[in-house]
Amino acid sequence: MASENEEKVELGFNAVPDTKPKKDWVLLSLRVVAFLATSAATLVMAFNKQTKNFIVATTGNTPITATISAKFNQTPAFV
């Protein structure tokens, strides 16, 4: 039995390890990755320009073409 006057020996570690610094870096890196993915998707949607050339008629050896461009507001996900 330990006497009342005896000092307790302190160990140099806690029972529960402190994982806060590692958790902060993980959350920060996930936020950065999510922001970069969102900005990449925004740039693709904003600068995406789809054009299609159709041959409407042929006069002699000269084809007459019509160019049709898809617009940003014609994306099927937003209909």
Side-chain angles (χ1 to χ4, degrees):
M1 292 187 117
S3 65
E4 293 177 12
N5 295 334
E6 224 178 279
E7 291 184 21
K8 293 183 178 179
V9 177
E10 294 273 337
L11 297 176
F13 62 92
N14 294 332
V16 178
D18 186 23
T19 59
K20 187 164 175 49
K22 183 178 180 184
K23 189 176 182 181
D24 287 343
W25 284 103
V26 171
L27 290 178
L28 180 64
S29 63
L30 286 175
R31 285 181 186 245
V32 169
V33 168
F35 175 75
L36 291 176
T38 303
S39 61
T42 303
L43 290 175
V44 166
M45 289 297 290
F47 294 120
N48 189 14
K49 190 173 191 179
Q50 296 179 351
T51 59
K52 187 75 174 180
N53 292 330
F54 291 106
I55 298 176
V56 179
T58 307
T59 311
N61 291 333
T62 308
I64 299 173
T65 61
T67 303
I68 299 174
S69 296
K71 295 181 182 176
F72 177 72
N73 60 0
Q74 295 172 342
T75 305
F78 299 116
V79 173

